[in-house]
Amino acid sequence: MDEARAARAVREMLAAIGEDPDREGLRETPDRVAEAYAHLFSGLREDPTRHLEGGFDETARDLVLIRDVPLASTCEHHLLPFAGKAHVAYLPNGRVAGFSEIVRVVDGYARRPQLQERLTAQIADALYGSLGSLGSLVVVEATHTCMTARVAETIGSVAVTVAARGVFEDDPARRAEVVALIPRGG
């Protein structure tokens, strides 16, 4: 990422909204924002599926579910944050991934300008395709600043997206099994 260019753009934005980028409280803001954006968008410089390459051959074929994986991302429409949690499930097919590796996949896709719907699908696709699982199911619950800061009536609202692949897409009973294990609003 070109942090110097980003800092110049932030400085210009401050001037465009009528602020003085040279006043004491804002003088260092362009550099701080550029540094923050380098971190917030670090997922653009990686392929999150690489975290699944180090999985383990294992005969396990039972459900794996990691609930309440914290995530923070940036809405690509307004460049404002959204934050929440992901519930990530998959059914192994002779290969399992480390739990921390799954969390890294979530984080890698979240750290880019994003849509919640796409984020949910990318995680599910990674577990289904890259890991070669029999199926994956991902539920993401998030609060979007682009809604809550702009429209007072939406404060407290939570957007929920679901992506199902493989057996969880084809078998309603298997899908219901996972959904039952995820606490509502919890």
Side-chain angles (χ1 to χ4, degrees):
M1 184 179 130
D2 186 342
E3 287 190 40
R5 183 177 178 189
R8 287 190 305 273
V10 171
R11 182 176 172 76
E12 178 59 29
M13 172 136 22
L14 288 169
I17 65 170
E19 265 291 358
D20 174 8
D22 291 319
R23 88 172 158 80
E24 184 178 355
L26 293 176
R27 210 171 290 136
E28 303 300 320
T29 296
D31 291 331
R32 285 192 297 264
V33 171
E35 184 180 330
Y37 272 28
H39 175 72
L40 292 172
F41 300 136
S42 62
L44 289 169
R45 296 179 294 283
E46 75 164 284
D47 176 5
T49 62
R50 73 181 172 84
H51 298 292
L52 300 175
E53 294 170 1
F56 309 96
D57 291 332
E58 181 59 54
T59 59
R61 297 176 66 90
D62 296 312
L63 176 68
V64 175
L65 169 64
I66 303 174
R67 298 187 319 202
D68 300 326
V69 176
L71 68 85
S73 192
T74 304
C75 166
E76 70 180 36
H77 293 150
H78 300 97
L79 293 182
L80 291 172
F82 67 91
K85 55 191 165 187
H87 311 287
V88 182
Y90 74 99
L91 204 57
N93 187 24
R95 191 157 184 77
V96 296
F99 297 141
S100 64
E101 303 310 315
I102 293 170
V103 171
R104 287 185 181 98
V105 169
V106 172
D107 191 58
Y109 283 120
R111 294 204 182 280
R112 35 180 88 182
Q114 194 58 280
L115 296 175
Q116 182 175 329
E117 298 88 341
R118 182 186 316 119
L119 171 63
T120 307
Q122 288 171 326
I123 299 165
D125 289 341
L127 290 170
Y128 185 58
S130 298
L131 191 58
S133 67
L134 295 172
S136 62
L137 185 114
V138 177
V139 177
V140 173
E141 304 174 55
T143 301
H144 292 251
T145 306
C146 60
M147 284 178 31
T148 60
R150 295 172 57 232
V151 183
E153 294 82 21
T154 64
I155 292 174
S157 65
V158 176
V160 178
T161 50
V162 180
R165 304 293 183 262
V167 68
F168 298 115
E169 189 172 26
D170 301 332
D171 184 346
R174 293 307 304 254
R175 183 177 177 137
E177 172 189 14
V178 175
V179 171
L181 293 170
I182 301 171
R184 286 188 183 16

PDB file of all heavy atoms in Angstrom, residues 13-37:
ATOM      1  N   MET A  13      -9.115  15.222   1.798  1.00  0.00           N
ATOM      2  CA  MET A  13     -10.491  15.019   2.257  1.00  0.00           C
ATOM      3  C   MET A  13     -10.813  15.961   3.413  1.00  0.00           C
ATOM      4  O   MET A  13     -11.896  16.536   3.457  1.00  0.00           O
ATOM      5  CB  MET A  13     -10.746  13.574   2.688  1.00  0.00           C
ATOM      6  CG  MET A  13     -12.093  13.424   3.330  1.00  0.00           C
ATOM      7  SD  MET A  13     -13.177  12.082   2.946  1.00  0.00           S
ATOM      8  CE  MET A  13     -12.246  10.792   2.313  1.00  0.00           C
ATOM      9  N   LEU A  14      -9.875  16.107   4.349  1.00  0.00           N
ATOM     10  CA  LEU A  14     -10.096  17.032   5.464  1.00  0.00           C
ATOM     11  C   LEU A  14     -10.331  18.451   4.946  1.00  0.00           C
ATOM     12  O   LEU A  14     -11.247  19.140   5.409  1.00  0.00           O
ATOM     13  CB  LEU A  14      -8.900  17.003   6.429  1.00  0.00           C
ATOM     14  CG  LEU A  14      -8.781  15.739   7.279  1.00  0.00           C
ATOM     15  CD1 LEU A  14      -7.434  15.705   7.995  1.00  0.00           C
ATOM     16  CD2 LEU A  14      -9.921  15.649   8.275  1.00  0.00           C
ATOM     17  N   ALA A  15      -9.540  18.874   3.980  1.00  0.00           N
ATOM     18  CA  ALA A  15      -9.726  20.208   3.403  1.00  0.00           C
ATOM     19  C   ALA A  15     -11.062  20.289   2.670  1.00  0.00           C
ATOM     20  O   ALA A  15     -11.772  21.295   2.760  1.00  0.00           O
ATOM     21  CB  ALA A  15      -8.569  20.534   2.457  1.00  0.00           C
ATOM     22  N   ALA A  16     -11.451  19.224   1.971  1.00  0.00           N
ATOM     23  CA  ALA A  16     -12.698  19.217   1.202  1.00  0.00           C
ATOM     24  C   ALA A  16     -13.931  19.336   2.089  1.00  0.00           C
ATOM     25  O   ALA A  16     -14.944  19.906   1.671  1.00  0.00           O
ATOM     26  CB  ALA A  16     -12.782  17.951   0.346  1.00  0.00           C
ATOM     27  N   ILE A  17     -13.861  18.831   3.331  1.00  0.00           N
ATOM     28  CA  ILE A  17     -15.025  18.943   4.221  1.00  0.00           C
ATOM     29  C   ILE A  17     -15.010  20.244   5.016  1.00  0.00           C
ATOM     30  O   ILE A  17     -15.889  20.479   5.832  1.00  0.00           O
ATOM     31  CB  ILE A  17     -15.154  17.725   5.175  1.00  0.00           C
ATOM     32  CG1 ILE A  17     -13.980  17.656   6.152  1.00  0.00           C
ATOM     33  CG2 ILE A  17     -15.315  16.430   4.385  1.00  0.00           C
ATOM     34  CD1 ILE A  17     -14.161  16.634   7.264  1.00  0.00           C
ATOM     35  N   GLY A  18     -14.010  21.074   4.766  1.00  0.00           N
ATOM     36  CA  GLY A  18     -13.960  22.374   5.421  1.00  0.00           C
ATOM     37  C   GLY A  18     -13.106  22.430   6.664  1.00  0.00           C
ATOM     38  O   GLY A  18     -13.159  23.403   7.418  1.00  0.00           O
ATOM     39  N   GLU A  19     -12.308  21.415   6.904  1.00  0.00           N
ATOM     40  CA  GLU A  19     -11.419  21.404   8.067  1.00  0.00           C
ATOM     41  C   GLU A  19     -10.047  21.948   7.666  1.00  0.00           C
ATOM     42  O   GLU A  19      -9.688  21.981   6.493  1.00  0.00           O
ATOM     43  CB  GLU A  19     -11.251  19.965   8.593  1.00  0.00           C
ATOM     44  CG  GLU A  19     -12.192  19.607   9.700  1.00  0.00           C
ATOM     45  CD  GLU A  19     -11.902  20.337  11.011  1.00  0.00           C
ATOM     46  OE1 GLU A  19     -10.933  21.117  11.117  1.00  0.00           O
ATOM     47  OE2 GLU A  19     -12.679  20.136  11.951  1.00  0.00           O
ATOM     48  N   ASP A  20      -9.301  22.328   8.669  1.00  0.00           N
ATOM     49  CA  ASP A  20      -7.932  22.778   8.460  1.00  0.00           C
ATOM     50  C   ASP A  20      -6.994  21.624   8.809  1.00  0.00           C
ATOM     51  O   ASP A  20      -6.796  21.322   9.985  1.00  0.00           O
ATOM     52  CB  ASP A  20      -7.645  23.993   9.354  1.00  0.00           C
ATOM     53  CG  ASP A  20      -6.192  24.433   9.293  1.00  0.00           C
ATOM     54  OD1 ASP A  20      -5.419  23.899   8.451  1.00  0.00           O
ATOM     55  OD2 ASP A  20      -5.816  25.312  10.092  1.00  0.00           O
ATOM     56  N   PRO A  21      -6.418  20.954   7.807  1.00  0.00           N
ATOM     57  CA  PRO A  21      -5.557  19.807   8.107  1.00  0.00           C
ATOM     58  C   PRO A  21      -4.281  20.185   8.855  1.00  0.00           C
ATOM     59  O   PRO A  21      -3.577  19.298   9.342  1.00  0.00           O
ATOM     60  CB  PRO A  21      -5.242  19.215   6.730  1.00  0.00           C
ATOM     61  CG  PRO A  21      -5.650  20.226   5.728  1.00  0.00           C
ATOM     62  CD  PRO A  21      -6.572  21.193   6.388  1.00  0.00           C
ATOM     63  N   ASP A  22      -4.008  21.482   8.983  1.00  0.00           N
ATOM     64  CA  ASP A  22      -2.813  21.916   9.708  1.00  0.00           C
ATOM     65  C   ASP A  22      -3.100  22.290  11.156  1.00  0.00           C
ATOM     66  O   ASP A  22      -2.170  22.608  11.903  1.00  0.00           O
ATOM     67  CB  ASP A  22      -2.174  23.119   8.989  1.00  0.00           C
ATOM     68  CG  ASP A  22      -1.570  22.718   7.656  1.00  0.00           C
ATOM     69  OD1 ASP A  22      -0.943  21.638   7.595  1.00  0.00           O
ATOM     70  OD2 ASP A  22      -1.745  23.465   6.673  1.00  0.00           O
ATOM     71  N   ARG A  23      -4.370  22.223  11.579  1.00  0.00           N
ATOM     72  CA  ARG A  23      -4.635  22.548  12.986  1.00  0.00           C
ATOM     73  C   ARG A  23      -4.090  21.427  13.865  1.00  0.00           C
ATOM     74  O   ARG A  23      -3.942  20.284  13.439  1.00  0.00           O
ATOM     75  CB  ARG A  23      -6.115  22.863  13.203  1.00  0.00           C
ATOM     76  CG  ARG A  23      -7.027  21.757  13.502  1.00  0.00           C
ATOM     77  CD  ARG A  23      -8.416  22.316  13.891  1.00  0.00           C
ATOM     78  NE  ARG A  23      -9.423  21.320  13.682  1.00  0.00           N
ATOM     79  CZ  ARG A  23      -9.666  20.325  14.541  1.00  0.00           C
ATOM     80  NH1 ARG A  23      -8.974  20.205  15.657  1.00  0.00           N
ATOM     81  NH2 ARG A  23     -10.614  19.451  14.276  1.00  0.00           N
ATOM     82  N   GLU A  24      -3.801  21.782  15.082  1.00  0.00           N
ATOM     83  CA  GLU A  24      -3.076  20.879  15.982  1.00  0.00           C
ATOM     84  C   GLU A  24      -3.693  19.477  16.072  1.00  0.00           C
ATOM     85  O   GLU A  24      -2.992  18.484  15.960  1.00  0.00           O
ATOM     86  CB  GLU A  24      -2.971  21.494  17.371  1.00  0.00           C
ATOM     87  CG  GLU A  24      -2.144  20.649  18.314  1.00  0.00           C
ATOM     88  CD  GLU A  24      -1.997  21.274  19.691  1.00  0.00           C
ATOM     89  OE1 GLU A  24      -2.457  22.405  19.898  1.00  0.00           O
ATOM     90  OE2 GLU A  24      -1.429  20.607  20.552  1.00  0.00           O
ATOM     91  N   GLY A  25      -4.981  19.380  16.257  1.00  0.00           N
ATOM     92  CA  GLY A  25      -5.621  18.073  16.438  1.00  0.00           C
ATOM     93  C   GLY A  25      -5.643  17.213  15.183  1.00  0.00           C
ATOM     94  O   GLY A  25      -5.819  15.999  15.264  1.00  0.00           O
ATOM     95  N   LEU A  26      -5.459  17.828  14.021  1.00  0.00           N
ATOM     96  CA  LEU A  26      -5.527  17.083  12.754  1.00  0.00           C
ATOM     97  C   LEU A  26      -4.177  16.918  12.064  1.00  0.00           C
ATOM     98  O   LEU A  26      -4.079  16.176  11.088  1.00  0.00           O
ATOM     99  CB  LEU A  26      -6.497  17.780  11.786  1.00  0.00           C
ATOM    100  CG  LEU A  26      -7.964  17.771  12.183  1.00  0.00           C
ATOM    101  CD1 LEU A  26      -8.793  18.576  11.182  1.00  0.00           C
ATOM    102  CD2 LEU A  26      -8.481  16.342  12.272  1.00  0.00           C
ATOM    103  N   ARG A  27      -3.169  17.568  12.549  1.00  0.00           N
ATOM    104  CA  ARG A  27      -1.872  17.582  11.871  1.00  0.00           C
ATOM    105  C   ARG A  27      -1.335  16.177  11.573  1.00  0.00           C
ATOM    106  O   ARG A  27      -0.821  15.918  10.493  1.00  0.00           O
ATOM    107  CB  ARG A  27      -0.874  18.370  12.721  1.00  0.00           C
ATOM    108  CG  ARG A  27       0.180  19.060  11.901  1.00  0.00           C
ATOM    109  CD  ARG A  27       1.028  20.007  12.741  1.00  0.00           C
ATOM    110  NE  ARG A  27       0.250  21.170  13.152  1.00  0.00           N
ATOM    111  CZ  ARG A  27       0.246  21.697  14.375  1.00  0.00           C
ATOM    112  NH1 ARG A  27       0.999  21.177  15.325  1.00  0.00           N
ATOM    113  NH2 ARG A  27      -0.493  22.734  14.668  1.00  0.00           N
ATOM    114  N   GLU A  28      -1.479  15.265  12.512  1.00  0.00           N
ATOM    115  CA  GLU A  28      -0.954  13.902  12.337  1.00  0.00           C
ATOM    116  C   GLU A  28      -2.009  12.919  11.819  1.00  0.00           C
ATOM    117  O   GLU A  28      -1.706  11.755  11.557  1.00  0.00           O
ATOM    118  CB  GLU A  28      -0.389  13.384  13.667  1.00  0.00           C
ATOM    119  CG  GLU A  28       0.695  14.270  14.271  1.00  0.00           C
ATOM    120  CD  GLU A  28       1.903  14.425  13.355  1.00  0.00           C
ATOM    121  OE1 GLU A  28       2.301  13.419  12.729  1.00  0.00           O
ATOM    122  OE2 GLU A  28       2.429  15.555  13.264  1.00  0.00           O
ATOM    123  N   THR A  29      -3.240  13.395  11.674  1.00  0.00           N
ATOM    124  CA  THR A  29      -4.338  12.500  11.272  1.00  0.00           C
ATOM    125  C   THR A  29      -4.099  11.819   9.930  1.00  0.00           C
ATOM    126  O   THR A  29      -4.323  10.608   9.818  1.00  0.00           O
ATOM    127  CB  THR A  29      -5.677  13.267  11.294  1.00  0.00           C
ATOM    128  OG1 THR A  29      -5.942  13.661  12.642  1.00  0.00           O
ATOM    129  CG2 THR A  29      -6.824  12.410  10.779  1.00  0.00           C
ATOM    130  N   PRO A  30      -3.653  12.513   8.890  1.00  0.00           N
ATOM    131  CA  PRO A  30      -3.456  11.815   7.616  1.00  0.00           C
ATOM    132  C   PRO A  30      -2.512  10.614   7.724  1.00  0.00           C
ATOM    133  O   PRO A  30      -2.807   9.542   7.173  1.00  0.00           O
ATOM    134  CB  PRO A  30      -2.889  12.908   6.694  1.00  0.00           C
ATOM    135  CG  PRO A  30      -3.481  14.168   7.237  1.00  0.00           C
ATOM    136  CD  PRO A  30      -3.466  13.967   8.737  1.00  0.00           C
ATOM    137  N   ASP A  31      -1.423  10.762   8.469  1.00  0.00           N
ATOM    138  CA  ASP A  31      -0.495   9.640   8.633  1.00  0.00           C
ATOM    139  C   ASP A  31      -1.110   8.526   9.469  1.00  0.00           C
ATOM    140  O   ASP A  31      -0.918   7.342   9.182  1.00  0.00           O
ATOM    141  CB  ASP A  31       0.813  10.112   9.282  1.00  0.00           C
ATOM    142  CG  ASP A  31       1.623  11.006   8.355  1.00  0.00           C
ATOM    143  OD1 ASP A  31       1.516  10.841   7.116  1.00  0.00           O
ATOM    144  OD2 ASP A  31       2.356  11.872   8.867  1.00  0.00           O
ATOM    145  N   ARG A  32      -1.862   8.902  10.523  1.00  0.00           N
ATOM    146  CA  ARG A  32      -2.512   7.883  11.358  1.00  0.00           C
ATOM    147  C   ARG A  32      -3.551   7.097  10.557  1.00  0.00           C
ATOM    148  O   ARG A  32      -3.647   5.875  10.679  1.00  0.00           O
ATOM    149  CB  ARG A  32      -3.159   8.532  12.588  1.00  0.00           C
ATOM    150  CG  ARG A  32      -2.170   8.945  13.662  1.00  0.00           C
ATOM    151  CD  ARG A  32      -2.878   9.307  14.959  1.00  0.00           C
ATOM    152  NE  ARG A  32      -3.752  10.461  14.826  1.00  0.00           N
ATOM    153  CZ  ARG A  32      -3.428  11.704  15.125  1.00  0.00           C
ATOM    154  NH1 ARG A  32      -2.225  11.973  15.602  1.00  0.00           N
ATOM    155  NH2 ARG A  32      -4.290  12.691  14.985  1.00  0.00           N
ATOM    156  N   VAL A  33      -4.338   7.804   9.740  1.00  0.00           N
ATOM    157  CA  VAL A  33      -5.353   7.129   8.929  1.00  0.00           C
ATOM    158  C   VAL A  33      -4.683   6.204   7.908  1.00  0.00           C
ATOM    159  O   VAL A  33      -5.113   5.064   7.708  1.00  0.00           O
ATOM    160  CB  VAL A  33      -6.289   8.149   8.244  1.00  0.00           C
ATOM    161  CG1 VAL A  33      -7.207   7.459   7.238  1.00  0.00           C
ATOM    162  CG2 VAL A  33      -7.107   8.895   9.290  1.00  0.00           C
ATOM    163  N   ALA A  34      -3.632   6.675   7.271  1.00  0.00           N
ATOM    164  CA  ALA A  34      -2.922   5.844   6.291  1.00  0.00           C
ATOM    165  C   ALA A  34      -2.383   4.574   6.941  1.00  0.00           C
ATOM    166  O   ALA A  34      -2.482   3.479   6.387  1.00  0.00           O
ATOM    167  CB  ALA A  34      -1.799   6.643   5.642  1.00  0.00           C
ATOM    168  N   GLU A  35      -1.829   4.723   8.134  1.00  0.00           N
ATOM    169  CA  GLU A  35      -1.318   3.559   8.869  1.00  0.00           C
ATOM    170  C   GLU A  35      -2.452   2.598   9.227  1.00  0.00           C
ATOM    171  O   GLU A  35      -2.322   1.375   9.103  1.00  0.00           O
ATOM    172  CB  GLU A  35      -0.581   4.021  10.125  1.00  0.00           C
ATOM    173  CG  GLU A  35       0.066   2.901  10.907  1.00  0.00           C
ATOM    174  CD  GLU A  35       0.783   3.406  12.152  1.00  0.00           C
ATOM    175  OE1 GLU A  35       1.280   4.557  12.146  1.00  0.00           O
ATOM    176  OE2 GLU A  35       0.830   2.647  13.138  1.00  0.00           O
ATOM    177  N   ALA A  36      -3.569   3.163   9.669  1.00  0.00           N
ATOM    178  CA  ALA A  36      -4.726   2.323  10.010  1.00  0.00           C
ATOM    179  C   ALA A  36      -5.251   1.599   8.777  1.00  0.00           C
ATOM    180  O   ALA A  36      -5.569   0.408   8.845  1.00  0.00           O
ATOM    181  CB  ALA A  36      -5.832   3.177  10.635  1.00  0.00           C
ATOM    182  N   TYR A  37      -5.329   2.296   7.656  1.00  0.00           N
ATOM    183  CA  TYR A  37      -5.821   1.664   6.430  1.00  0.00           C
ATOM    184  C   TYR A  37      -4.886   0.548   5.968  1.00  0.00           C
ATOM    185  O   TYR A  37      -5.346  -0.460   5.425  1.00  0.00           O
ATOM    186  CB  TYR A  37      -6.014   2.702   5.335  1.00  0.00           C
ATOM    187  CG  TYR A  37      -7.383   3.364   5.354  1.00  0.00           C
ATOM    188  CD1 TYR A  37      -8.112   3.489   6.529  1.00  0.00           C
ATOM    189  CD2 TYR A  37      -7.943   3.861   4.193  1.00  0.00           C
ATOM    190  CE1 TYR A  37      -9.357   4.095   6.544  1.00  0.00           C
ATOM    191  CE2 TYR A  37      -9.199   4.474   4.203  1.00  0.00           C
ATOM    192  CZ  TYR A  37      -9.889   4.582   5.379  1.00  0.00           C
ATOM    193  OH  TYR A  37     -11.116   5.175   5.391  1.00  0.00           O
TER     194      TYR A  37
END
